[in-house]
Amino acid sequence: MSALERARASAFPAAEYVGQESFVSAGEVRQLARQARVGLGVSVLDLCCGVAGPGRMVSAEFGCNYLGIDRSASSLSTARERAEDLPCRFEQLEIPPLPDGHFEVVFLLETMLAFRDKDALVREVARVLEPDGRFAFTVEEGRPLTYQERELMPAADTVWPIELAELTAVLGNAGLNLTWQQDCSSSHHAIATALLLSYGAHRSEIAAEIGTQATADLITSHELWSDWLGSGRVRKFAMVAEK
């Protein structure tokens, strides 16, 4: 386990870290999977899966037919290695578009924020969902960042929150109906703050792995997320929308 992973693991409550690169806990992933009716043999497409910690957990515990896709070859290499004997498949792909095929569930955990054109993304999700298919995702809800906020946030070109009314319209325009939602702002604020403290405590070890500037940016972004989630500037939701 790398220094960065050790720092992440120490920030989560016991048994809630499964290799995720985000604020979502293992328990929240399980709840989202249950709400999306993931089960034995259900076809699941996991978008922007990274090293697929949550995806591998869902595959192991729910027995679904899992395909994870991500743009990063190195992340997918780690995902394949850690999947071992699990019936998981992985493909390298820049999205959108999504791979051809039809799926009962599409997951997008902690990455909708990175897509500026959410209309194009959600239309693609709807296209590959089977009738009655479910889109299960987390989303950062709030006004667009101001110029000053974008200047402060590292990699601001991947930070595009969306207000609930606009998100509901985006889903509806793609033929998806929001069927379940849960406000995760409080729990994600706690994790963002715990990660901030852990990254600070392990700063030198992390910097030795990923570099001084990347470590500084990591800490700065978590300072902002802790502040925004704590103040209500941004809220976090887990949601399921059905086709």
Side-chain angles (χ1 to χ4, degrees):
M1 184 181 287
S2 69
L4 185 56
E5 288 176 305
R6 289 194 299 273
R8 287 174 179 148
S10 69
F12 280 84
E16 291 296 333
Y17 179 73
V18 291
Q20 63 268 45
E21 303 161 270
S22 62
F23 304 151
V24 68
S25 68
E28 289 169 336
V29 174
R30 290 187 184 97
Q31 183 179 32
L32 190 58
R34 287 192 292 267
Q35 292 294 333
R37 306 197 299 279
V38 175
L40 184 64
V42 170
S43 55
V44 173
L45 175 64
D46 187 9
L47 307 180
C48 306
C49 67
V51 301
R56 287 181 278 113
M57 181 192 75
V58 168
S59 178
E61 295 185 6
F62 290 81
C64 57
N65 181 12
Y66 175 91
L67 171 61
I69 62 175
D70 198 271
R71 66 187 296 183
S72 169
S74 61
S75 292
L76 292 177
S77 177
T78 300
R80 291 188 184 98
E81 178 182 330
R82 295 180 179 178
E84 296 181 334
D85 296 329
L86 288 172
C88 300
R89 296 179 295 126
F90 299 98
E91 292 181 12
Q92 186 180 4
L93 189 68
E94 182 90 30
I95 64 171
L98 302 189
D100 290 333
H102 289 91
F103 303 87
E104 293 169 83
V105 175
V106 173
F107 270 119
L108 181 62
L109 299 176
E110 304 285 81
T111 325
M112 185 176 280
L113 182 74
F115 293 89
R116 184 174 187 176
D117 188 349
K118 291 176 174 51
D119 279 293
L121 172 68
V122 173
R123 283 196 301 271
E124 274 294 287
V125 169
R127 180 182 66 82
V128 302
L129 279 175
E130 294 183 357
D132 301 320
R134 285 81 66 195
F135 179 32
F137 61 96
T138 59
V139 64
E140 290 77 6
E141 189 275 334
R143 303 180 311 278
L145 299 191
T146 64
Y147 173 80
Q148 291 80 6
E149 288 169 335
R150 302 197 72 78
E151 287 293 298
L152 291 173
M153 173 60 77
D157 59 337
T158 63
V159 181
W160 305 100
I162 184 171
E163 294 184 271
L164 275 183
E166 183 181 356
L167 175 61
T168 302
V170 166
L171 294 167
N173 290 340
L176 301 178
N177 179 47
L178 189 61
T179 57
W180 178 82
Q181 69 179 50
Q182 178 170 290
D183 192 328
C184 303
S185 303
S186 178
S187 61
H188 286 210
H189 171 244
I191 292 298
T193 303
L195 284 167
L196 171 62
L197 295 173
S198 186
Y199 291 153
H202 296 86
R203 186 170 190 147
S204 59
E205 304 101 292
I206 295 170
E209 291 181 350
I210 68 173
T212 302
Q213 186 58 56
T215 303
D217 288 346
L218 183 69
I219 290 172
T220 296
S221 65
H222 281 73
E223 288 173 341
L224 290 169
W225 284 119
S226 178
D227 176 56
W228 292 350
L229 288 165
S231 67
R233 167 64 181 87
V234 175
R235 294 188 296 168
K236 284 294 294 291
F237 286 91
M239 296 182 167
V240 177
E242 190 162 334
K243 184 173 178 180

